[in-house]
Amino acid sequence: MKNFQLSAVRTTGTAPPPTHSTPDSPRADGIRLAHVARRFGSGDAELTALRDIELEVRAGEFLAILGPSGCGKSTLLQIVAGLLAPSAGEVLFRGRPVTEPPEGMVYLFQQYTKSLLPWRSVAGNVALAFEADRRLTRQQVHARASEYLGLVGLAGFEKHYPWQLSGGMQQRVAIARALAAEPRVLLLDEPFSAVDALTRVELQALVLELRRQRGLTVVLVTHDVDEAVFLADRIAILSKRPTVVEEIVETRIPHPRDAIETRELPRFLELRHTLMERLLGREPRP
Amino acid sequence: MSRARLVERWLPGTLAVAGVLAAWELLGRGGTLNPALLPAPSVVLATLVDVVRDDALAPPIARTLALMATGYLIACACGIALGVAMGRSEAVHALMEPLVELVRPIPKPALIPPLFLFLGIGLQTMLFIVVLAAFFPVLINTVQGVRGVDPVLLDTARTLRLSRRATVLRVVLPAALPMVATGMRVSLGLALTLVVVAEMLAGENGVGFLILDMQRAFQIQKMYAWLVVLALLGLLLNGAFEWAERRALPWRAHLS
C-alpha cells in the first residue's frame, strides 16, 4: 500500500496521443453535445439550468468542465451519462443519441459513501459491475474483482467492508468498480472534492495513470481550477446560470504530470491565474 | 461487556421482575388473593411442570407455531412483493394505495365473523386472518424502504447498466431491507396475537384454544400455565428475530 502510494504520485510513461478519429466513425468514443438545454420545474418556478450547451469531447482526451458552483455542471454530466434527459437538444455518443446509460461509459459519483453498497464487501462492490455475466464462475468473478482492486492499489482489501475504509480508499473502490465495467469513457463528477488534500493528490495521479494505461476518454466536472489545469488536456469554461460554454482552453501542459513539478511550470501558473480571474469575475491583469 | 456493566444493565430489571413475583407469591400464600382466581406463581409453575411431565406441552405449541409461521411467511412474501411493486412504480402505487389505506386500519379481529361466513369456522379462517394482520406492516414498511433508497444508489445501478431485475434484487431490496425488517418485526407480534385470537374463536387445538378451554373448564391453574407458555413463546420469537436481524443486517450499525 505504502509503496503504491509513493509510486502513484509521480505518474509514469507518456501520455497517449489524442486519437482524433473521424467523428462519424461508429467505433470512435467521441461525444457531441448539440444545443443541450435543461430546465427544472415549471411556470413561475421554472429554472433554466443549462441554456444551450455546444460541446465536443474528442476520443481519448481528458476534458475538464469548469464552472462556478450552481452552474449545472453535474446536471450536464448526468445528461452526458444518460442518467438525465435534456429538455432540448441531444447528446451523441459514437454517433448515436444517448437516451439511457450507454455501453462503454461509466459515471463516477462524488458521493462515494452513497454510491457503494454497505452490505457488500469491497470485492462484492466491484463485482456488481460484471457479475450479471452468466459465463463467469464464482471464482472468476472474485478473481476479476481482485484484479481491478489491484489496479487501484487495494489488493488484499477484498473482504473489507466500505465502512471499514477511509474516504480515499472508498473512492478507490468506486474507481475500481467503474473500471470493472470496462468503459471507454469515464465521467467524473467532482470525484475528489470530499477527500483531504493529500488523498486528492494521490487519487488525481491514480486517475491519470489509469487513463494512460487504458487509453480512456475522461470528462471531469469540477469547480477546482488547480485540479482542472493539472489533469486536463482541454478545459471547457461554463458561464453562470443559465449556462453556456463560454470558452474552451487547451492546457498544453506535457505528460506525464507530476504532483509537484507540473504545478511549478510557467504554463500551469499562467493558466491557473487567468482561469481564477475569470471565475472570480476580476479584470485580467494588463 | 464488562461484569460491572452487565450488572448495571440487567440488575434493576431482574429485581423488578423478582419483586413482582415475590409479592404475588406472598399475597397468594397470605390468603389475600383468591387461589381459585389467581393461584400463586409457585402453584402455576408446579402445574406447568405437570404439563411437561405429561408430554402435553409440545403438540399445542407445534400447532400454534405451524399456523403462525405459515401465515407469517405468506404475509411477508406477499407484503414484500407488492411493496416492491408499489415502491418502484408510481402507477401501481396510485392504483393500490387507496385500497390499502381502506383495509389497513380495520382492527383485524373484527373481520373474523365475516370470514366465518366465507371460509367456515376453522383452519382457513385462522390462516387468512393471520396473513391479513401480518401483511400490512410488511407492505407499508417495504414501500417506504423501497421509495427511500438513495437516488445515487439507483443511478449507480443505472450507470453500471444493471437490468431491472438485477437492480431490484441486488440494490433495491438489500437497501430497503432494514425497513422491511422493521415491518416484519411488527408483523411477528401481530401474527402471534391473531393466531391466539383465531384459535380462541375457531380453533380445536393450540395454545390460544387451550387457554380459553381451560378457563371454561374451571382448570384455572392450567389456564395460567398456558398463559406462561405463551409469554415465553413471545419472548423466544422476539429474541430469535433480533438474532436473525443482527446476522442479516450487520452493516446497519455502521451507517451514520
PDB file of all heavy atoms in Angstrom, chain A residues 26-45:
ATOM      1  N   PRO A  26     -18.313   4.898 -36.172  1.00  0.00           N
ATOM      2  CA  PRO A  26     -19.125   4.428 -35.052  1.00  0.00           C
ATOM      3  C   PRO A  26     -18.293   3.918 -33.880  1.00  0.00           C
ATOM      4  O   PRO A  26     -18.765   3.898 -32.764  1.00  0.00           O
ATOM      5  CB  PRO A  26     -19.960   3.293 -35.666  1.00  0.00           C
ATOM      6  CG  PRO A  26     -19.211   2.856 -36.877  1.00  0.00           C
ATOM      7  CD  PRO A  26     -18.466   4.056 -37.367  1.00  0.00           C
ATOM      8  N   ARG A  27     -17.056   3.513 -34.106  1.00  0.00           N
ATOM      9  CA  ARG A  27     -16.253   2.983 -33.030  1.00  0.00           C
ATOM     10  C   ARG A  27     -15.591   4.085 -32.212  1.00  0.00           C
ATOM     11  O   ARG A  27     -15.101   3.846 -31.117  1.00  0.00           O
ATOM     12  CB  ARG A  27     -15.168   2.025 -33.562  1.00  0.00           C
ATOM     13  CG  ARG A  27     -15.704   0.749 -34.117  1.00  0.00           C
ATOM     14  CD  ARG A  27     -16.611   0.009 -33.128  1.00  0.00           C
ATOM     15  NE  ARG A  27     -15.977  -0.225 -31.842  1.00  0.00           N
ATOM     16  CZ  ARG A  27     -16.660  -0.471 -30.734  1.00  0.00           C
ATOM     17  NH1 ARG A  27     -17.969  -0.489 -30.756  1.00  0.00           N
ATOM     18  NH2 ARG A  27     -16.043  -0.696 -29.602  1.00  0.00           N
ATOM     19  N   ALA A  28     -15.539   5.297 -32.763  1.00  0.00           N
ATOM     20  CA  ALA A  28     -14.875   6.378 -32.053  1.00  0.00           C
ATOM     21  C   ALA A  28     -15.633   6.681 -30.771  1.00  0.00           C
ATOM     22  O   ALA A  28     -16.853   6.619 -30.723  1.00  0.00           O
ATOM     23  CB  ALA A  28     -14.819   7.617 -32.937  1.00  0.00           C
ATOM     24  N   ASP A  29     -14.888   6.997 -29.711  1.00  0.00           N
ATOM     25  CA  ASP A  29     -15.514   7.219 -28.417  1.00  0.00           C
ATOM     26  C   ASP A  29     -15.858   8.687 -28.183  1.00  0.00           C
ATOM     27  O   ASP A  29     -16.057   9.101 -27.056  1.00  0.00           O
ATOM     28  CB  ASP A  29     -14.582   6.728 -27.310  1.00  0.00           C
ATOM     29  CG  ASP A  29     -14.311   5.245 -27.443  1.00  0.00           C
ATOM     30  OD1 ASP A  29     -15.263   4.519 -27.790  1.00  0.00           O
ATOM     31  OD2 ASP A  29     -13.170   4.823 -27.209  1.00  0.00           O
ATOM     32  N   GLY A  30     -15.884   9.462 -29.242  1.00  0.00           N
ATOM     33  CA  GLY A  30     -16.191  10.883 -29.106  1.00  0.00           C
ATOM     34  C   GLY A  30     -17.638  11.116 -28.697  1.00  0.00           C
ATOM     35  O   GLY A  30     -18.517  10.285 -28.929  1.00  0.00           O
ATOM     36  N   ILE A  31     -17.833  12.264 -28.038  1.00  0.00           N
ATOM     37  CA  ILE A  31     -19.178  12.629 -27.585  1.00  0.00           C
ATOM     38  C   ILE A  31     -19.480  14.020 -28.131  1.00  0.00           C
ATOM     39  O   ILE A  31     -18.619  14.898 -28.115  1.00  0.00           O
ATOM     40  CB  ILE A  31     -19.240  12.681 -26.045  1.00  0.00           C
ATOM     41  CG1 ILE A  31     -18.788  11.357 -25.441  1.00  0.00           C
ATOM     42  CG2 ILE A  31     -20.650  13.029 -25.564  1.00  0.00           C
ATOM     43  CD1 ILE A  31     -18.473  11.439 -23.963  1.00  0.00           C
ATOM     44  N   ARG A  32     -20.692  14.205 -28.622  1.00  0.00           N
ATOM     45  CA  ARG A  32     -21.079  15.520 -29.116  1.00  0.00           C
ATOM     46  C   ARG A  32     -22.353  15.973 -28.425  1.00  0.00           C
ATOM     47  O   ARG A  32     -23.329  15.228 -28.352  1.00  0.00           O
ATOM     48  CB  ARG A  32     -21.313  15.467 -30.621  1.00  0.00           C
ATOM     49  CG  ARG A  32     -20.846  16.715 -31.335  1.00  0.00           C
ATOM     50  CD  ARG A  32     -21.030  16.593 -32.833  1.00  0.00           C
ATOM     51  NE  ARG A  32     -22.298  17.201 -33.240  1.00  0.00           N
ATOM     52  CZ  ARG A  32     -22.537  18.505 -33.202  1.00  0.00           C
ATOM     53  NH1 ARG A  32     -21.615  19.349 -32.777  1.00  0.00           N
ATOM     54  NH2 ARG A  32     -23.702  18.989 -33.594  1.00  0.00           N
ATOM     55  N   LEU A  33     -22.295  17.177 -27.866  1.00  0.00           N
ATOM     56  CA  LEU A  33     -23.494  17.756 -27.257  1.00  0.00           C
ATOM     57  C   LEU A  33     -24.009  18.838 -28.184  1.00  0.00           C
ATOM     58  O   LEU A  33     -23.270  19.771 -28.516  1.00  0.00           O
ATOM     59  CB  LEU A  33     -23.178  18.379 -25.890  1.00  0.00           C
ATOM     60  CG  LEU A  33     -22.962  17.411 -24.726  1.00  0.00           C
ATOM     61  CD1 LEU A  33     -21.589  16.783 -24.798  1.00  0.00           C
ATOM     62  CD2 LEU A  33     -23.152  18.121 -23.407  1.00  0.00           C
ATOM     63  N   ALA A  34     -25.249  18.685 -28.652  1.00  0.00           N
ATOM     64  CA  ALA A  34     -25.814  19.627 -29.605  1.00  0.00           C
ATOM     65  C   ALA A  34     -26.999  20.345 -28.980  1.00  0.00           C
ATOM     66  O   ALA A  34     -28.022  19.716 -28.697  1.00  0.00           O
ATOM     67  CB  ALA A  34     -26.238  18.893 -30.885  1.00  0.00           C
ATOM     68  N   HIS A  35     -26.849  21.649 -28.759  1.00  0.00           N
ATOM     69  CA  HIS A  35     -27.934  22.505 -28.240  1.00  0.00           C
ATOM     70  C   HIS A  35     -28.609  21.909 -27.022  1.00  0.00           C
ATOM     71  O   HIS A  35     -29.835  21.916 -26.908  1.00  0.00           O
ATOM     72  CB  HIS A  35     -28.979  22.780 -29.330  1.00  0.00           C
ATOM     73  CG  HIS A  35     -28.385  23.436 -30.541  1.00  0.00           C
ATOM     74  ND1 HIS A  35     -27.857  24.701 -30.510  1.00  0.00           N
ATOM     75  CD2 HIS A  35     -28.207  22.979 -31.804  1.00  0.00           C
ATOM     76  CE1 HIS A  35     -27.396  25.014 -31.706  1.00  0.00           C
ATOM     77  NE2 HIS A  35     -27.578  23.983 -32.498  1.00  0.00           N
ATOM     78  N   VAL A  36     -27.803  21.370 -26.096  1.00  0.00           N
ATOM     79  CA  VAL A  36     -28.385  20.741 -24.913  1.00  0.00           C
ATOM     80  C   VAL A  36     -28.882  21.804 -23.942  1.00  0.00           C
ATOM     81  O   VAL A  36     -28.152  22.727 -23.583  1.00  0.00           O
ATOM     82  CB  VAL A  36     -27.364  19.815 -24.217  1.00  0.00           C
ATOM     83  CG1 VAL A  36     -27.857  19.407 -22.827  1.00  0.00           C
ATOM     84  CG2 VAL A  36     -27.097  18.589 -25.079  1.00  0.00           C
ATOM     85  N   ALA A  37     -30.139  21.689 -23.543  1.00  0.00           N
ATOM     86  CA  ALA A  37     -30.725  22.582 -22.547  1.00  0.00           C
ATOM     87  C   ALA A  37     -31.401  21.738 -21.483  1.00  0.00           C
ATOM     88  O   ALA A  37     -31.817  20.612 -21.739  1.00  0.00           O
ATOM     89  CB  ALA A  37     -31.742  23.517 -23.190  1.00  0.00           C
ATOM     90  N   ARG A  38     -31.481  22.295 -20.281  1.00  0.00           N
ATOM     91  CA  ARG A  38     -32.181  21.585 -19.216  1.00  0.00           C
ATOM     92  C   ARG A  38     -32.872  22.588 -18.308  1.00  0.00           C
ATOM     93  O   ARG A  38     -32.236  23.513 -17.791  1.00  0.00           O
ATOM     94  CB  ARG A  38     -31.214  20.733 -18.399  1.00  0.00           C
ATOM     95  CG  ARG A  38     -31.840  20.047 -17.210  1.00  0.00           C
ATOM     96  CD  ARG A  38     -32.785  18.915 -17.607  1.00  0.00           C
ATOM     97  NE  ARG A  38     -33.740  18.664 -16.533  1.00  0.00           N
ATOM     98  CZ  ARG A  38     -34.491  17.561 -16.439  1.00  0.00           C
ATOM     99  NH1 ARG A  38     -34.403  16.612 -17.358  1.00  0.00           N
ATOM    100  NH2 ARG A  38     -35.321  17.421 -15.439  1.00  0.00           N
ATOM    101  N   ARG A  39     -34.176  22.420 -18.180  1.00  0.00           N
ATOM    102  CA  ARG A  39     -34.958  23.265 -17.282  1.00  0.00           C
ATOM    103  C   ARG A  39     -35.517  22.399 -16.171  1.00  0.00           C
ATOM    104  O   ARG A  39     -35.811  21.228 -16.377  1.00  0.00           O
ATOM    105  CB  ARG A  39     -36.097  23.941 -18.053  1.00  0.00           C
ATOM    106  CG  ARG A  39     -35.617  24.940 -19.083  1.00  0.00           C
ATOM    107  CD  ARG A  39     -36.783  25.536 -19.877  1.00  0.00           C
ATOM    108  NE  ARG A  39     -37.375  24.562 -20.784  1.00  0.00           N
ATOM    109  CZ  ARG A  39     -36.924  24.328 -22.026  1.00  0.00           C
ATOM    110  NH1 ARG A  39     -35.895  24.995 -22.487  1.00  0.00           N
ATOM    111  NH2 ARG A  39     -37.511  23.439 -22.786  1.00  0.00           N
ATOM    112  N   PHE A  40     -35.626  22.997 -14.993  1.00  0.00           N
ATOM    113  CA  PHE A  40     -36.262  22.301 -13.868  1.00  0.00           C
ATOM    114  C   PHE A  40     -37.508  23.065 -13.472  1.00  0.00           C
ATOM    115  O   PHE A  40     -37.567  24.278 -13.581  1.00  0.00           O
ATOM    116  CB  PHE A  40     -35.312  22.220 -12.671  1.00  0.00           C
ATOM    117  CG  PHE A  40     -34.126  21.323 -12.903  1.00  0.00           C
ATOM    118  CD1 PHE A  40     -32.872  21.850 -13.189  1.00  0.00           C
ATOM    119  CD2 PHE A  40     -34.268  19.944 -12.836  1.00  0.00           C
ATOM    120  CE1 PHE A  40     -31.784  21.028 -13.407  1.00  0.00           C
ATOM    121  CE2 PHE A  40     -33.187  19.110 -13.055  1.00  0.00           C
ATOM    122  CZ  PHE A  40     -31.943  19.652 -13.344  1.00  0.00           C
ATOM    123  N   GLY A  41     -38.508  22.333 -12.975  1.00  0.00           N
ATOM    124  CA  GLY A  41     -39.731  22.960 -12.514  1.00  0.00           C
ATOM    125  C   GLY A  41     -40.543  23.485 -13.682  1.00  0.00           C
ATOM    126  O   GLY A  41     -40.204  23.270 -14.844  1.00  0.00           O
ATOM    127  N   SER A  42     -41.636  24.214 -13.364  1.00  0.00           N
ATOM    128  CA  SER A  42     -42.471  24.753 -14.430  1.00  0.00           C
ATOM    129  C   SER A  42     -43.139  26.039 -13.936  1.00  0.00           C
ATOM    130  O   SER A  42     -43.132  26.332 -12.739  1.00  0.00           O
ATOM    131  CB  SER A  42     -43.537  23.730 -14.840  1.00  0.00           C
ATOM    132  OG  SER A  42     -44.299  23.372 -13.710  1.00  0.00           O
ATOM    133  N   GLY A  43     -43.701  26.785 -14.875  1.00  0.00           N
ATOM    134  CA  GLY A  43     -44.380  28.030 -14.537  1.00  0.00           C
ATOM    135  C   GLY A  43     -43.418  29.060 -13.962  1.00  0.00           C
ATOM    136  O   GLY A  43     -42.306  29.223 -14.462  1.00  0.00           O
ATOM    137  N   ASP A  44     -43.851  29.730 -12.882  1.00  0.00           N
ATOM    138  CA  ASP A  44     -43.019  30.763 -12.266  1.00  0.00           C
ATOM    139  C   ASP A  44     -41.769  30.173 -11.630  1.00  0.00           C
ATOM    140  O   ASP A  44     -40.750  30.842 -11.494  1.00  0.00           O
ATOM    141  CB  ASP A  44     -43.817  31.509 -11.176  1.00  0.00           C
ATOM    142  CG  ASP A  44     -44.863  32.424 -11.797  1.00  0.00           C
ATOM    143  OD1 ASP A  44     -44.743  32.690 -13.014  1.00  0.00           O
ATOM    144  OD2 ASP A  44     -45.784  32.841 -11.080  1.00  0.00           O
ATOM    145  N   ALA A  45     -41.880  28.913 -11.209  1.00  0.00           N
ATOM    146  CA  ALA A  45     -40.759  28.284 -10.524  1.00  0.00           C
ATOM    147  C   ALA A  45     -39.746  27.688 -11.507  1.00  0.00           C
ATOM    148  O   ALA A  45     -38.786  27.063 -11.090  1.00  0.00           O
ATOM    149  CB  ALA A  45     -41.266  27.195  -9.589  1.00  0.00           C
TER     150      ALA A  45
END
